[in-house]
Amino acid sequence: MIDLYYWTTPNGHKVTMFLEEAELAYRIIPINIGAGEQFQPDFLKIAPNNRIPAIVDQAPTGGVAPISIFESGAILLYLAEKTGKFLSSDLATRTDTLQWLFWQMGGLGPMAGQNHHFAVYATEKIPYAISRYVNETNRLYGVLNKRLADRPFIAGDYSIADMACYPWIVPYERQGQKLEDFPNLKRWFETIQARPATQRAYAKAAAINAKPTMDEAAKKILFGQTSAIVKAN
């Protein structure tokens, strides 16, 4: 059994997508980040960076004690190795998959996240910041569109690289992007969107958080954190 500490964010969706695809038994433990539940002591023991998602594998391979993992990319890699799914054993393909996983973790996710912040959540709308991150998101869409010109998925077969990237493309309109400008990316996006496991994962998200909102109280909790938060917990 996998215990999944989860909220309905792109990084959270990555893990539910994998778990649904692999048909692993799992239990969702909602962590409402807008309400500050990510600072609960029990959660911080699993996720010291006070971010979702995190998992606890109650039955690791080899019969060892339960293993906890935080960071969505590390979770995807762990689950792929545990199940032998969505990460090729061929060295070249495996390496290809992992470099695109890290591309999402270091590029697409952070840049799209800053895009969301300055364009949607920031109380002060700073044109330079909005333009900077909308343009960088656009560049990254272009990189992915080019990558997908001659292959159905990012590393050939459907993999953890696709699961990592897809949730960050879902809010493309909020990112100031048009899928019609990226035909290969659009085809890839619609293919993953139609997968039954993807639909199940997003249905669970809707059931947990039916009306995603960001009120002023949540903004105070989520934005502007400093090391004082770590010291306090």
Side-chain angles (χ1 to χ4, degrees):
M1 173 68 72
I2 302 291
D3 287 338
L4 169 60
Y5 295 80
Y6 166 87
W7 198 240
T8 55
T9 71
N11 287 333
H13 298 321
K14 296 175 188 177
V15 183
T16 51
M17 286 174 66
F18 185 101
L19 292 168
E20 289 295 330
E21 289 281 358
E23 299 183 329
L24 282 174
Y26 71 102
R27 175 180 64 147
I28 290 178
I29 302 168
I31 301 294
N32 187 338
I33 60 176
E37 294 178 1
Q38 67 272 37
F39 301 115
Q40 295 173 347
D42 287 347
F43 179 66
L44 290 173
K45 292 176 182 178
I46 299 165
N49 194 38
N50 59 267
R51 296 288 190 272
I52 63 91
I55 67 168
V56 176
D57 184 355
Q58 300 291 353
T61 303
V64 299
I67 294 175
S68 64
I69 308 102
F70 70 101
E71 285 294 318
S72 59
I75 294 169
L76 288 176
L77 178 56
Y78 175 85
L79 292 174
E81 291 182 333
K82 174 184 174 71
T83 61
K85 297 180 178 180
F86 306 111
L87 180 61
S88 175
S89 60
D90 173 76
L91 178 61
T93 305
R94 175 187 172 87
T95 302
D96 205 19
T97 303
L98 292 179
Q99 70 181 352
W100 283 96
L101 172 65
F102 296 151
W103 174 85
Q104 184 281 312
M105 295 294 297
L108 179 61
M111 294 301 104
Q114 293 297 331
N115 181 327
H116 294 168
H117 180 80
F118 285 106
V120 180
Y121 301 130
T123 55
E124 180 184 357
K125 302 305 179 187
I126 305 170
Y128 174 82
I130 293 171
S131 177
R132 159 80 176 106
Y133 290 110
V134 169
N135 288 343
E136 178 60 8
T137 302
N138 184 266
R139 185 189 73 81
L140 293 165
Y141 274 46
V143 171
L144 194 50
N145 185 67
K146 185 176 181 180
R147 172 67 179 180
L148 292 164
D150 61 352
R151 66 202 75 211
F153 298 107
I154 293 173
D157 293 331
Y158 191 55
S159 73
I160 56 174
D162 302 288
M163 296 178 202
C165 291
Y166 173 83
W168 284 101
I169 306 296
V170 170
Y172 61 88
E173 292 179 330
R174 191 166 60 173
Q175 296 167 10
Q177 309 302 320
K178 297 179 180 178
L179 289 188
E180 289 73 19
D181 295 338
F182 306 96
N184 304 318
L185 177 59
K186 183 175 186 292
R187 182 263 310 155
W188 167 89
F189 178 85
E190 291 174 348
T191 299
I192 297 176
Q193 185 180 51
R195 292 177 74 92
T198 303
Q199 295 178 9
R200 292 195 301 270
Y202 276 80
K204 290 194 173 183
I208 289 168
N209 187 15
K211 294 183 178 180
T213 58
M214 182 71 70
D215 59 21
E216 292 306 311
K219 288 180 182 179
K220 289 180 181 179
I221 291 170
L222 291 170
F223 306 138
Q225 297 173 17
T226 67
S227 62
I229 292 290
V230 179
K231 293 175 182 177
N233 292 282

